[in-house]
Amino acid sequence: MISELNIVLAANSGDAVWDLYLGDTPEDCLRDTTAFATGTVSAGRNHTKRPRGRATYAAIKLYQSTGADPWVLEQITAIVQKYGRSRKFS
């Protein structure tokens, strides 16, 4: 489970949008068209996000919001908690 997500952009960056995708396989994360959680981050440190998404795999997509200045990523930190073993799907 992803309990916390911290995103830091460079001090002179424009805004960026983030989407969190979850799935049972890496392919599920990339194939999914609906984000589990989404938000906007701005230059510098941002408030901690608490999506509390539970899955075996996760993917984070960062992209430029429409008409915004280019952004520069400095750091992404995710706090991950393990909840039991992963199941095998047939």
Side-chain angles (χ1 to χ4, degrees):
M1 178 173 81
I2 296 180
S3 59
E4 293 183 12
L5 186 62
N6 293 299
I7 302 172
V8 180
L9 299 180
N12 57 352
S13 284
D15 292 347
V17 179
W18 63 272
D19 294 339
L20 175 65
Y21 296 91
L22 304 175
D24 293 322
T25 66
E27 292 81 10
D28 288 345
C29 293
L30 300 175
R31 195 176 316 131
D32 198 358
T33 58
T34 304
F36 174 79
T38 188
T40 303
V41 289
S42 53
R45 292 190 175 274
N46 289 275
H47 293 290
T48 299
K49 316 299 184 224
R50 292 184 171 82
R52 301 188 58 79
R54 189 171 174 179
T56 306
Y57 295 91
I60 299 170
K61 176 182 175 182
L62 283 172
Y63 55 96
Q64 185 174 346
S65 50
T66 306
D69 293 331
W71 54 270
V72 178
L73 177 66
E74 286 192 359
Q75 182 179 20
I76 294 180
T77 306
I79 304 298
V80 180
Q81 297 176 344
K82 187 171 182 175
Y83 280 94
R85 297 189 315 200
S86 296
R87 296 185 305 172
K88 181 177 180 180
F89 294 94
S90 53

